[in-house]
Amino acid sequence: MKIQKLTILLVTILTTSCYHPKTNNKLQFDTTDAITMAQKFAKIKNHSCGSLKNDSVATLIINYLNKLTPNISNETFEIKNDTGYIIGKNIYVSINPDKPHKILLACNYDTYPTDTAQNCLSGAATVLAIAKCIAQNPNEYPAIDLIFFDSTEYWSENQNLNKIRRHCLGSQQWAKNADKHKYKCALYFYKPAHKGGVFAKEGHSNLFATKYLKILAEIENTLYKNNTLFTNDIAKPLNADNCFLNKDAKIPTIAICAHHTIINKDNEEEKTPVEDDSIENFDTTAIKHLGNIILQFCNQW
């Protein structure tokens, strides 16, 4: 009898562990807007939190979103620096706000204060293009919130904060008042477009949002008959806004961050977040596949 019960239990586990996603052929990601916005962002260098150039990036984002939904708001907050204070600004958007199930799509839009690279903000560009498709097909989706964090790359002068909490100040500010019960999960996009990158199982995602990682992998396999993006590789944790969505806001969050393989000091392979987000590295094929996967993911509820 015990053997029979054990057999039934094992069969149950095996049959319920695989997720069988539904797919909607109506939903197709258009890379054109993602590329166009990435090119516009790349023209604005040194747009760190509190700068006029960062305000220009915020204006580009808001102008794009104004064509999609009226439900846009800003959340401002003070950041102490060596000369006084600067003002950070999160941009928050709701699509289908009255529907019961809600998913959060997040990214940041600022750069390091000393960054002179051709930063294309591929995360923000991708989120905007995804938002356009969702807004064009509202009946196919649950409530979708978008947040564009400021001050991810800016470091506070407050020595009372630990190293991780001295940056990502916008997400920490937002997480203070977030209603965790509203959200099924969050997807955080950070430099996702790098050529040759994969979306390996980033450490925090693997800990807090394992279920949703599996769903993304199943959707990729259903759409493309492979898992070249959402692989089974284990990756180094990304200590960015995703940390505070997971830990402070208590929202299961997947970091959609391109990782590449390096050899560490112990001569072992290690998946590490990419550093360069320049427009030359924008992989249009990978972003198209990612966009289609995310659109189908959001359509599951």
Side-chain angles (χ1 to χ4, degrees), residues 174-211:
W174 183 82
K176 289 178 183 178
N177 301 311
D179 186 348
K180 63 182 180 182
H181 300 294
K182 288 184 177 180
Y183 297 99
K184 294 189 72 68
C185 63
L187 303 177
Y188 174 68
F189 297 78
Y190 186 80
K191 301 180 181 180
H194 199 280
K195 290 178 180 177
V198 298
F199 306 121
K201 295 179 179 179
E202 177 271 335
H204 301 296
S205 305
N206 205 28
L207 176 63
F208 292 100
T210 308
K211 167 186 174 181

mmCIF file of all heavy atoms in Angstrom, residues 174-211:
data_model
loop_
_atom_site.group_PDB
_atom_site.id
_atom_site.type_symbol
_atom_site.label_atom_id
_atom_site.label_comp_id
_atom_site.label_asym_id
_atom_site.label_seq_id
_atom_site.Cartn_x
_atom_site.Cartn_y
_atom_site.Cartn_z
ATOM 1 N N TRP A 174 10.052 53.167 -4.020
ATOM 2 C CA TRP A 174 8.760 52.648 -4.473
ATOM 3 C C TRP A 174 8.311 51.473 -3.618
ATOM 4 O O TRP A 174 7.125 51.340 -3.277
ATOM 5 C CB TRP A 174 8.862 52.222 -5.939
ATOM 6 C CG TRP A 174 7.561 51.740 -6.499
ATOM 7 C CD1 TRP A 174 6.538 52.501 -6.974
ATOM 8 C CD2 TRP A 174 7.126 50.369 -6.610
ATOM 9 N NE1 TRP A 174 5.496 51.696 -7.388
ATOM 10 C CE2 TRP A 174 5.839 50.384 -7.176
ATOM 11 C CE3 TRP A 174 7.715 49.157 -6.288
ATOM 12 C CZ2 TRP A 174 5.126 49.217 -7.425
ATOM 13 C CZ3 TRP A 174 7.001 47.989 -6.544
ATOM 14 C CH2 TRP A 174 5.724 48.030 -7.099
ATOM 15 N N ALA A 175 9.251 50.612 -3.241
ATOM 16 C CA ALA A 175 8.906 49.395 -2.501
ATOM 17 C C ALA A 175 8.332 49.694 -1.115
ATOM 18 O O ALA A 175 7.609 48.870 -0.552
ATOM 19 C CB ALA A 175 10.141 48.497 -2.364
ATOM 20 N N LYS A 176 8.645 50.865 -0.567
ATOM 21 C CA LYS A 176 8.138 51.226 0.762
ATOM 22 C C LYS A 176 6.614 51.196 0.820
ATOM 23 O O LYS A 176 6.021 50.826 1.838
ATOM 24 C CB LYS A 176 8.617 52.637 1.145
ATOM 25 C CG LYS A 176 10.089 52.758 1.452
ATOM 26 C CD LYS A 176 10.430 54.208 1.767
ATOM 27 C CE LYS A 176 11.915 54.399 2.020
ATOM 28 N NZ LYS A 176 12.249 55.825 2.275
ATOM 29 N N ASN A 177 5.986 51.623 -0.269
ATOM 30 C CA ASN A 177 4.524 51.755 -0.282
ATOM 31 C C ASN A 177 3.838 50.781 -1.235
ATOM 32 O O ASN A 177 2.637 50.891 -1.461
ATOM 33 C CB ASN A 177 4.149 53.188 -0.672
ATOM 34 C CG ASN A 177 4.733 54.216 0.277
ATOM 35 O OD1 ASN A 177 4.613 54.085 1.490
ATOM 36 N ND2 ASN A 177 5.388 55.226 -0.278
ATOM 37 N N ALA A 178 4.604 49.842 -1.777
ATOM 38 C CA ALA A 178 4.021 48.903 -2.749
ATOM 39 C C ALA A 178 3.048 47.949 -2.056
ATOM 40 O O ALA A 178 3.303 47.480 -0.940
ATOM 41 C CB ALA A 178 5.132 48.112 -3.428
ATOM 42 N N ASP A 179 1.941 47.674 -2.719
ATOM 43 C CA ASP A 179 0.968 46.705 -2.214
ATOM 44 C C ASP A 179 1.313 45.347 -2.825
ATOM 45 O O ASP A 179 0.938 45.043 -3.955
ATOM 46 C CB ASP A 179 -0.444 47.125 -2.600
ATOM 47 C CG ASP A 179 -1.504 46.218 -1.981
ATOM 48 O OD1 ASP A 179 -1.135 45.142 -1.458
ATOM 49 O OD2 ASP A 179 -2.692 46.575 -2.035
ATOM 50 N N LYS A 180 2.048 44.535 -2.072
ATOM 51 C CA LYS A 180 2.539 43.264 -2.606
ATOM 52 C C LYS A 180 1.402 42.323 -3.005
ATOM 53 O O LYS A 180 1.576 41.448 -3.852
ATOM 54 C CB LYS A 180 3.434 42.565 -1.579
ATOM 55 C CG LYS A 180 2.713 42.177 -0.291
ATOM 56 C CD LYS A 180 3.660 41.540 0.708
ATOM 57 C CE LYS A 180 2.947 41.165 1.992
ATOM 58 N NZ LYS A 180 3.848 40.582 2.986
ATOM 59 N N HIS A 181 0.219 42.499 -2.383
ATOM 60 C CA HIS A 181 -0.897 41.591 -2.660
ATOM 61 C C HIS A 181 -1.503 41.831 -4.052
ATOM 62 O O HIS A 181 -2.248 40.999 -4.548
ATOM 63 C CB HIS A 181 -1.973 41.746 -1.590
ATOM 64 C CG HIS A 181 -1.481 41.441 -0.205
ATOM 65 N ND1 HIS A 181 -1.086 40.173 0.185
ATOM 66 C CD2 HIS A 181 -1.284 42.242 0.872
ATOM 67 C CE1 HIS A 181 -0.691 40.206 1.443
ATOM 68 N NE2 HIS A 181 -0.797 41.440 1.880
ATOM 69 N N LYS A 182 -1.185 42.968 -4.662
ATOM 70 C CA LYS A 182 -1.729 43.268 -5.984
ATOM 71 C C LYS A 182 -1.059 42.463 -7.089
ATOM 72 O O LYS A 182 -1.656 42.217 -8.126
ATOM 73 C CB LYS A 182 -1.562 44.761 -6.287
ATOM 74 C CG LYS A 182 -2.485 45.687 -5.507
ATOM 75 C CD LYS A 182 -2.271 47.121 -5.992
ATOM 76 C CE LYS A 182 -3.219 48.084 -5.285
ATOM 77 N NZ LYS A 182 -3.016 49.482 -5.764
ATOM 78 N N TYR A 183 0.194 42.084 -6.864
ATOM 79 C CA TYR A 183 1.006 41.561 -7.960
ATOM 80 C C TYR A 183 1.233 40.061 -7.872
ATOM 81 O O TYR A 183 1.610 39.533 -6.826
ATOM 82 C CB TYR A 183 2.360 42.268 -7.979
ATOM 83 C CG TYR A 183 2.259 43.747 -8.232
ATOM 84 C CD1 TYR A 183 2.321 44.660 -7.178
ATOM 85 C CD2 TYR A 183 2.072 44.242 -9.515
ATOM 86 C CE1 TYR A 183 2.214 46.022 -7.395
ATOM 87 C CE2 TYR A 183 1.959 45.606 -9.753
ATOM 88 C CZ TYR A 183 2.036 46.491 -8.688
ATOM 89 O OH TYR A 183 1.920 47.840 -8.912
ATOM 90 N N LYS A 184 1.031 39.379 -8.988
ATOM 91 C CA LYS A 184 1.404 37.968 -9.068
ATOM 92 C C LYS A 184 2.920 37.843 -9.118
ATOM 93 O O LYS A 184 3.502 36.976 -8.477
ATOM 94 C CB LYS A 184 0.788 37.311 -10.309
ATOM 95 C CG LYS A 184 -0.712 37.226 -10.296
ATOM 96 C CD LYS A 184 -1.241 36.382 -11.433
ATOM 97 C CE LYS A 184 -0.958 34.914 -11.209
ATOM 98 N NZ LYS A 184 -1.699 34.336 -10.090
ATOM 99 N N CYS A 185 3.553 38.712 -9.909
ATOM 100 C CA CYS A 185 5.001 38.656 -10.064
ATOM 101 C C CYS A 185 5.464 39.931 -10.750
ATOM 102 O O CYS A 185 4.661 40.758 -11.178
ATOM 103 C CB CYS A 185 5.428 37.435 -10.876
ATOM 104 S SG CYS A 185 4.807 37.439 -12.566
ATOM 105 N N ALA A 186 6.788 40.078 -10.852
ATOM 106 C CA ALA A 186 7.387 41.198 -11.568
ATOM 107 C C ALA A 186 8.491 40.683 -12.480
ATOM 108 O O ALA A 186 9.138 39.672 -12.185
ATOM 109 C CB ALA A 186 7.949 42.228 -10.587
ATOM 110 N N LEU A 187 8.690 41.380 -13.587
ATOM 111 C CA LEU A 187 9.807 41.122 -14.489
ATOM 112 C C LEU A 187 10.643 42.389 -14.529
ATOM 113 O O LEU A 187 10.122 43.473 -14.824
ATOM 114 C CB LEU A 187 9.307 40.781 -15.897
ATOM 115 C CG LEU A 187 8.355 39.595 -16.015
ATOM 116 C CD1 LEU A 187 7.892 39.436 -17.457
ATOM 117 C CD2 LEU A 187 9.009 38.315 -15.528
ATOM 118 N N TYR A 188 11.929 42.264 -14.209
ATOM 119 C CA TYR A 188 12.819 43.418 -14.163
ATOM 120 C C TYR A 188 13.832 43.317 -15.295
ATOM 121 O O TYR A 188 14.595 42.360 -15.371
ATOM 122 C CB TYR A 188 13.539 43.481 -12.811
ATOM 123 C CG TYR A 188 14.592 44.560 -12.741
ATOM 124 C CD1 TYR A 188 14.229 45.901 -12.754
ATOM 125 C CD2 TYR A 188 15.946 44.237 -12.664
ATOM 126 C CE1 TYR A 188 15.185 46.895 -12.698
ATOM 127 C CE2 TYR A 188 16.912 45.228 -12.598
ATOM 128 C CZ TYR A 188 16.527 46.558 -12.617
ATOM 129 O OH TYR A 188 17.488 47.542 -12.564
ATOM 130 N N PHE A 189 13.829 44.293 -16.213
ATOM 131 C CA PHE A 189 14.666 44.266 -17.409
ATOM 132 C C PHE A 189 15.914 45.118 -17.191
ATOM 133 O O PHE A 189 15.818 46.329 -16.969
ATOM 134 C CB PHE A 189 13.874 44.797 -18.609
ATOM 135 C CG PHE A 189 12.676 43.966 -18.960
ATOM 136 C CD1 PHE A 189 11.497 44.051 -18.214
ATOM 137 C CD2 PHE A 189 12.709 43.080 -20.035
ATOM 138 C CE1 PHE A 189 10.389 43.284 -18.536
ATOM 139 C CE2 PHE A 189 11.605 42.309 -20.361
ATOM 140 C CZ PHE A 189 10.451 42.409 -19.610
ATOM 141 N N TYR A 190 17.065 44.482 -17.277
ATOM 142 C CA TYR A 190 18.329 45.190 -17.063
ATOM 143 C C TYR A 190 19.335 44.743 -18.123
ATOM 144 O O TYR A 190 19.798 43.608 -18.111
ATOM 145 C CB TYR A 190 18.873 44.896 -15.662
ATOM 146 C CG TYR A 190 20.095 45.699 -15.286
ATOM 147 C CD1 TYR A 190 19.972 47.020 -14.852
ATOM 148 C CD2 TYR A 190 21.367 45.144 -15.352
ATOM 149 C CE1 TYR A 190 21.085 47.761 -14.502
ATOM 150 C CE2 TYR A 190 22.489 45.880 -15.002
ATOM 151 C CZ TYR A 190 22.339 47.188 -14.580
ATOM 152 O OH TYR A 190 23.457 47.922 -14.236
ATOM 153 N N LYS A 191 19.620 45.618 -19.087
ATOM 154 C CA LYS A 191 20.567 45.318 -20.178
ATOM 155 C C LYS A 191 20.268 43.962 -20.835
ATOM 156 O O LYS A 191 21.124 43.085 -20.890
ATOM 157 C CB LYS A 191 22.003 45.350 -19.653
ATOM 158 C CG LYS A 191 22.403 46.691 -19.041
ATOM 159 C CD LYS A 191 23.839 46.683 -18.544
ATOM 160 C CE LYS A 191 24.202 48.024 -17.927
ATOM 161 N NZ LYS A 191 25.589 48.052 -17.425
ATOM 162 N N PRO A 192 19.056 43.784 -21.351
ATOM 163 C CA PRO A 192 18.680 42.463 -21.880
ATOM 164 C C PRO A 192 19.102 42.193 -23.315
ATOM 165 O O PRO A 192 18.960 41.066 -23.794
ATOM 166 C CB PRO A 192 17.155 42.494 -21.791
ATOM 167 C CG PRO A 192 16.815 43.929 -22.025
ATOM 168 C CD PRO A 192 17.913 44.721 -21.371
ATOM 169 N N ALA A 193 19.629 43.207 -24.027
ATOM 170 C CA ALA A 193 19.751 43.085 -25.484
ATOM 171 C C ALA A 193 21.131 42.686 -25.977
ATOM 172 O O ALA A 193 21.377 42.673 -27.175
ATOM 173 C CB ALA A 193 19.362 44.416 -26.137
ATOM 174 N N HIS A 194 22.054 42.365 -25.108
ATOM 175 C CA HIS A 194 23.447 42.145 -25.504
ATOM 176 C C HIS A 194 23.587 40.907 -26.394
ATOM 177 O O HIS A 194 23.045 39.842 -26.103
ATOM 178 C CB HIS A 194 24.324 41.973 -24.265
ATOM 179 C CG HIS A 194 25.775 42.187 -24.518
ATOM 180 N ND1 HIS A 194 26.576 41.229 -25.082
ATOM 181 C CD2 HIS A 194 26.576 43.251 -24.284
ATOM 182 C CE1 HIS A 194 27.809 41.687 -25.183
ATOM 183 N NE2 HIS A 194 27.837 42.922 -24.711
ATOM 184 N N LYS A 195 24.337 41.053 -27.489
ATOM 185 C CA LYS A 195 24.566 39.939 -28.407
ATOM 186 C C LYS A 195 25.254 38.784 -27.687
ATOM 187 O O LYS A 195 26.219 38.978 -26.956
ATOM 188 C CB LYS A 195 25.428 40.401 -29.580
ATOM 189 C CG LYS A 195 24.721 41.359 -30.523
ATOM 190 C CD LYS A 195 25.639 41.826 -31.634
ATOM 191 C CE LYS A 195 24.900 42.794 -32.557
ATOM 192 N NZ LYS A 195 25.800 43.338 -33.615
ATOM 193 N N GLY A 196 24.736 37.581 -27.914
ATOM 194 C CA GLY A 196 25.333 36.405 -27.300
ATOM 195 C C GLY A 196 24.948 36.190 -25.849
ATOM 196 O O GLY A 196 25.380 35.219 -25.231
ATOM 197 N N GLY A 197 24.129 37.083 -25.298
ATOM 198 C CA GLY A 197 23.716 36.924 -23.908
ATOM 199 C C GLY A 197 22.609 35.896 -23.762
ATOM 200 O O GLY A 197 21.864 35.626 -24.700
ATOM 201 N N VAL A 198 22.516 35.312 -22.575
ATOM 202 C CA VAL A 198 21.423 34.396 -22.254
ATOM 203 C C VAL A 198 20.780 34.849 -20.955
ATOM 204 O O VAL A 198 21.407 35.527 -20.137
ATOM 205 C CB VAL A 198 21.920 32.933 -22.119
ATOM 206 C CG1 VAL A 198 22.514 32.446 -23.420
ATOM 207 C CG2 VAL A 198 22.918 32.789 -20.971
ATOM 208 N N PHE A 199 19.528 34.465 -20.772
ATOM 209 C CA PHE A 199 18.816 34.799 -19.534
ATOM 210 C C PHE A 199 18.875 33.583 -18.612
ATOM 211 O O PHE A 199 17.895 32.855 -18.433
ATOM 212 C CB PHE A 199 17.387 35.226 -19.836
ATOM 213 C CG PHE A 199 17.320 36.334 -20.846
ATOM 214 C CD1 PHE A 199 16.641 36.179 -22.038
ATOM 215 C CD2 PHE A 199 17.974 37.534 -20.616
ATOM 216 C CE1 PHE A 199 16.592 37.185 -22.977
ATOM 217 C CE2 PHE A 199 17.942 38.555 -21.551
ATOM 218 C CZ PHE A 199 17.250 38.382 -22.742
ATOM 219 N N ALA A 200 20.069 33.379 -18.090
ATOM 220 C CA ALA A 200 20.294 32.247 -17.196
ATOM 221 C C ALA A 200 19.516 32.451 -15.899
ATOM 222 O O ALA A 200 18.944 33.513 -15.652
ATOM 223 C CB ALA A 200 21.786 32.110 -16.910
ATOM 224 N N LYS A 201 19.506 31.429 -15.063
ATOM 225 C CA LYS A 201 18.774 31.493 -13.793
ATOM 226 C C LYS A 201 19.554 32.343 -12.797
ATOM 227 O O LYS A 201 20.338 31.846 -11.996
ATOM 228 C CB LYS A 201 18.535 30.084 -13.256
ATOM 229 C CG LYS A 201 17.620 29.251 -14.135
ATOM 230 C CD LYS A 201 17.427 27.853 -13.562
ATOM 231 C CE LYS A 201 16.496 27.024 -14.433
ATOM 232 N NZ LYS A 201 16.325 25.660 -13.914
ATOM 233 N N GLU A 202 19.313 33.638 -12.883
ATOM 234 C CA GLU A 202 19.968 34.593 -11.985
ATOM 235 C C GLU A 202 19.640 34.253 -10.537
ATOM 236 O O GLU A 202 18.538 33.820 -10.221
ATOM 237 C CB GLU A 202 19.511 36.007 -12.374
ATOM 238 C CG GLU A 202 20.023 37.126 -11.522
ATOM 239 C CD GLU A 202 19.121 37.427 -10.340
ATOM 240 O OE1 GLU A 202 17.910 37.125 -10.424
ATOM 241 O OE2 GLU A 202 19.632 37.943 -9.340
ATOM 242 N N GLY A 203 20.608 34.444 -9.651
ATOM 243 C CA GLY A 203 20.504 33.943 -8.282
ATOM 244 C C GLY A 203 19.251 34.327 -7.532
ATOM 245 O O GLY A 203 18.583 33.471 -6.929
ATOM 246 N N HIS A 204 18.891 35.616 -7.533
ATOM 247 C CA HIS A 204 17.702 36.054 -6.793
ATOM 248 C C HIS A 204 16.421 35.517 -7.435
ATOM 249 O O HIS A 204 15.489 35.117 -6.729
ATOM 250 C CB HIS A 204 17.660 37.578 -6.719
ATOM 251 C CG HIS A 204 18.843 38.198 -6.049
ATOM 252 N ND1 HIS A 204 19.134 37.994 -4.724
ATOM 253 C CD2 HIS A 204 19.822 39.006 -6.529
ATOM 254 C CE1 HIS A 204 20.233 38.658 -4.407
ATOM 255 N NE2 HIS A 204 20.672 39.275 -5.483
ATOM 256 N N SER A 205 16.387 35.509 -8.769
ATOM 257 C CA SER A 205 15.208 34.981 -9.467
ATOM 258 C C SER A 205 15.005 33.511 -9.132
ATOM 259 O O SER A 205 13.872 33.055 -8.909
ATOM 260 C CB SER A 205 15.384 35.129 -10.988
ATOM 261 O OG SER A 205 15.665 36.448 -11.349
ATOM 262 N N ASN A 206 16.097 32.782 -9.116
ATOM 263 C CA ASN A 206 16.027 31.344 -8.849
ATOM 264 C C ASN A 206 15.552 31.054 -7.428
ATOM 265 O O ASN A 206 14.958 30.013 -7.158
ATOM 266 C CB ASN A 206 17.391 30.706 -9.089
ATOM 267 C CG ASN A 206 17.294 29.234 -9.432
ATOM 268 O OD1 ASN A 206 16.299 28.780 -9.984
ATOM 269 N ND2 ASN A 206 18.321 28.484 -9.109
ATOM 270 N N LEU A 207 15.805 32.001 -6.529
ATOM 271 C CA LEU A 207 15.393 31.832 -5.135
ATOM 272 C C LEU A 207 13.944 32.263 -4.909
ATOM 273 O O LEU A 207 13.175 31.555 -4.258
ATOM 274 C CB LEU A 207 16.324 32.651 -4.223
ATOM 275 C CG LEU A 207 15.994 32.668 -2.727
ATOM 276 C CD1 LEU A 207 16.100 31.260 -2.129
ATOM 277 C CD2 LEU A 207 16.926 33.621 -1.992
ATOM 278 N N PHE A 208 13.576 33.416 -5.460
ATOM 279 C CA PHE A 208 12.280 34.012 -5.139
ATOM 280 C C PHE A 208 11.179 33.729 -6.167
ATOM 281 O O PHE A 208 10.000 33.875 -5.851
ATOM 282 C CB PHE A 208 12.414 35.539 -4.985
ATOM 283 C CG PHE A 208 13.213 35.974 -3.794
ATOM 284 C CD1 PHE A 208 14.532 36.356 -3.936
ATOM 285 C CD2 PHE A 208 12.648 35.996 -2.530
ATOM 286 C CE1 PHE A 208 15.287 36.771 -2.840
ATOM 287 C CE2 PHE A 208 13.379 36.396 -1.422
ATOM 288 C CZ PHE A 208 14.704 36.779 -1.571
ATOM 289 N N ALA A 209 11.565 33.393 -7.405
ATOM 290 C CA ALA A 209 10.550 33.301 -8.466
ATOM 291 C C ALA A 209 10.772 32.090 -9.359
ATOM 292 O O ALA A 209 10.603 32.166 -10.582
ATOM 293 C CB ALA A 209 10.562 34.591 -9.289
ATOM 294 N N THR A 210 11.116 30.965 -8.763
ATOM 295 C CA THR A 210 11.407 29.745 -9.531
ATOM 296 C C THR A 210 10.251 29.353 -10.442
ATOM 297 O O THR A 210 10.451 28.982 -11.608
ATOM 298 C CB THR A 210 11.718 28.586 -8.574
ATOM 299 O OG1 THR A 210 12.728 28.999 -7.660
ATOM 300 C CG2 THR A 210 12.188 27.368 -9.329
ATOM 301 N N LYS A 211 9.048 29.424 -9.923
ATOM 302 C CA LYS A 211 7.855 29.046 -10.681
ATOM 303 C C LYS A 211 7.755 29.834 -11.981
ATOM 304 O O LYS A 211 7.464 29.269 -13.059
ATOM 305 C CB LYS A 211 6.617 29.295 -9.822
ATOM 306 C CG LYS A 211 5.298 29.238 -10.564
ATOM 307 C CD LYS A 211 4.155 29.638 -9.634
ATOM 308 C CE LYS A 211 2.838 29.743 -10.398
ATOM 309 N NZ LYS A 211 1.721 30.154 -9.508
#
